[in-house]
Amino acid sequence: MSSPQPSLHGEGPLRDENVADNHVPETRVMETHGTETHVMGTYGPRAFAAVRGAGSYLYDAEGCGYLDFTSGIAVTSLGHCHPKLVAALNAQAQSLWHASNLFDIPGQSDLAAMLCNYSFADKVFFTNSGAEALECAIKTARRYQHHKGCAERYKILTFEGGFHGRTLATIAAAGQAKLIDGFGPMPEGFVQLPLGDVEAVAAAIDAQTAAIIIEPILGEGGIQVVPAAFLSALRALCDTHGLLLIFDEVQCGIARTGHLFAHQAADVMPDIMALAKGLGGGFPIGACLATSGACAGMTPGSHGSTFGGNPLGVAVAKAVLDEVAEPRFLAEVTEKGEVMRAGLAQLASHYPTVIEGIRGTGLMLGLKLKTPNAQFVAAARSAGLLTVPAGDNVVRLLPPLTVSLAEIDEALSALAAALAQIPQP
């Protein structure tokens, strides 16, 4: 099915002529009864039914196309239905879908080797999601201290505004009221601290502290780039006190910043790192990376996953890494990010009563707003551009890493149209 390459220029969603006027996907007919649905209501109202994706565009059931600057929340790193990913998935699907980790999984060792060769790590545990990768990181850190004979060291220091997933442990790690309300009591052992306050971190370390978790760039927390000096200070504190440093790169990793891993810009290495989202380019897969020392306690039977590192996910992730780890690809992400940021700066200068500031790096950018971000997201969608809100009244702009300069120009035009819809104070 061919993909139209329309010009948005703030004119709203484009029309996909490949979708008939009366076409309604079967799943929509089966699932929707007026305003009712059999899907559990944890997501609230949805913008539309997404039925097809092609490159940087996402199409609804009526054939309307939108320039997708959500990328499935930093997931579709190579855009929708990238031919190399489709080919990798199709090829693997012809031979083996699942065998479980009772057996060697085709390609799993190769993918682990790729991740280790590109990073600080020596070992990898594969998961299905970012939350599971963080769960593995937490267990690995506690097991490390236990393995060393320091079982009393179980506390994990985290930071206000952080987001690490939706499991009980990961919402306890974040400590945000909106995440934990109604799910108590929370698992013990997580201490939230002010972001950027080295003295507060040092004061919080005690005989029970095991590790520190931080996102090098807070995604859900409002595209806050953590200063390199702070990451360096955390590394020094961990080294001094025998703690493990864990980086959550579920959203900011896999070339999103113009570096394969966001922490590489700060030249500060962790002991453990959680990955997911962009690693599979849209196919569910996550990974917990660690040094040999950090995961020495993770012995047979200490952890496991039925689907983690399954043949399909591994095949797709290998194809993703083959693309995004190329130096030229990473340089292009940086260049496109600079072009986009310059365009956003121009918009901010024209709409100072709406845009308070621009955050982020590479193709992980955010607009800090003075007006409600939900209002802005709706206005952008009506102009044909999909964006995603974040904390601290920020709108995230997360295009596919393959986005073209022409598409960035289209997005800037749509943003201008959205800004024109926002009432000026």
Side-chain angles (χ1 to χ4, degrees):
M1 195 177 278
S2 62
S3 172
Q5 297 299 319
S7 178
L8 294 177
H9 296 298
E11 297 174 359
L14 55 102
R15 183 73 182 170
D16 183 0
E17 299 302 331
N18 293 306
V19 180
D21 289 340
N22 62 353
H23 172 70
V24 179
E26 183 180 357
T27 52
R28 202 179 194 197
V29 173
M30 292 173 60
E31 191 174 277
T32 303
H33 308 280
T35 58
E36 295 182 7
T37 173
H38 294 293
V39 176
M40 193 178 291
T42 57
Y43 297 108
R46 316 233 191 156
F48 59 83
V51 299
R52 190 173 78 85
S56 297
Y57 294 90
L58 192 64
Y59 297 89
D60 67 15
E62 285 70 45
C64 292
Y66 300 80
L67 191 54
D68 185 6
F69 272 42
T70 72
S71 295
I73 314 184
V75 169
T76 51
S77 45
L78 298 181
H80 295 286
C81 299
H82 190 283
K84 290 187 178 180
L85 304 194
V86 172
L89 183 59
N90 284 341
Q92 183 58 52
Q94 298 300 317
S95 57
L96 181 66
W97 285 30
H98 178 75
S100 94
N101 284 297
L102 295 172
F103 311 101
D104 284 337
I105 301 299
Q108 203 176 88
S109 293
D110 292 340
L111 177 58
M114 292 172 74
L115 288 167
C116 290
N117 289 338
Y118 289 134
S119 73
F120 67 93
D122 303 305
K123 301 290 183 180
V124 180
F125 180 89
F126 290 110
T127 69
N128 308 286
S129 67
E132 291 170 86
L134 263 298
E135 286 273 353
C136 181
I138 291 165
K139 289 181 69 174
T140 299
R142 288 184 172 180
R143 187 79 170 191
Y144 166 82
Q145 299 292 357
H146 183 275
H147 184 70
K148 285 179 57 182
C150 303
E152 73 281 1
R153 306 191 81 168
Y154 70 99
K155 291 182 182 177
I156 310 286
L157 305 184
T158 65
F159 296 93
E160 295 169 359
F163 179 85
H164 306 292
R166 296 279 186 170
T167 66
L168 280 176
T170 54
I171 63 174
Q176 298 182 44
K178 67 180 181 180
L179 299 176
I180 66 178
D181 183 39
F183 296 113
M186 286 292 102
E188 296 181 5
F190 298 97
V191 180
Q192 290 80 37
L193 299 169
L195 184 66
D197 190 336
V198 177
E199 292 182 0
V201 178
I205 295 172
D206 60 23
Q208 294 180 313
T209 307
I212 297 173
I213 295 177
I214 191 168
E215 300 166 84
I217 302 178
L218 277 64
E220 176 70 23
I223 312 294
Q224 299 184 61
V225 179
V226 178
F230 186 64
L231 295 179
S232 182
L234 296 182
R235 177 73 272 173
L237 287 170
C238 286
D239 292 341
T240 298
H241 296 281
L243 314 180
L244 294 182
L245 182 59
I246 302 169
F247 284 165
D248 177 348
E249 293 221 14
V250 169
Q251 187 168 152
C252 63
I254 311 298
R256 177 58 52 185
T257 64
H259 295 270
L260 189 56
F261 307 114
H263 70 265
Q264 291 171 332
D267 196 25
V268 177
M269 298 296 112
D271 302 294
I272 303 172
M273 178 171 63
L275 298 173
K277 289 190 179 286
L279 177 60
F283 196 95
I285 186 170
C288 178
L289 283 63
T291 63
S292 293
C295 67
M298 300 300 279
T299 52
S302 61
H303 196 44
S305 173
T306 297
F307 294 109
N310 70 81
L312 300 172
V314 166
V316 177
K318 286 172 60 181
V320 169
L321 282 179
D322 279 339
E323 292 291 304
V324 304
E326 287 294 322
R328 184 63 235 166
F329 186 96
L330 294 169
E332 288 176 356
V333 170
T334 298
E335 292 164 6
K336 288 184 285 193
E338 290 171 352
V339 169
M340 189 169 162
R341 191 182 186 96
L344 295 175
Q346 284 190 324
L347 290 175
S349 68
H350 287 115
Y351 294 93
T353 60
V354 179
I355 300 176
E356 182 176 320
I358 302 165
R359 296 178 176 179
T361 186
L363 290 175
M364 187 176 184
L365 298 172
L367 294 176
K368 166 68 173 172
L369 301 177
K370 297 180 180 179
T371 57
N373 59 2
Q375 180 185 32
F376 188 92
V377 168
R381 186 170 65 248
S382 71
L385 178 70
L386 301 179
T387 61
V388 59
D392 201 26
N393 201 37
V394 166
V395 168
R396 282 175 280 187
L397 300 169
L398 305 168
L401 305 181
T402 51
V403 66
S404 68
L405 292 177
E407 288 165 344
I408 289 174
D409 185 60
E410 299 282 2
L412 292 169
S413 296
L415 287 170
L419 287 162
Q421 297 180 44
I422 305 295
Q424 304 297 303

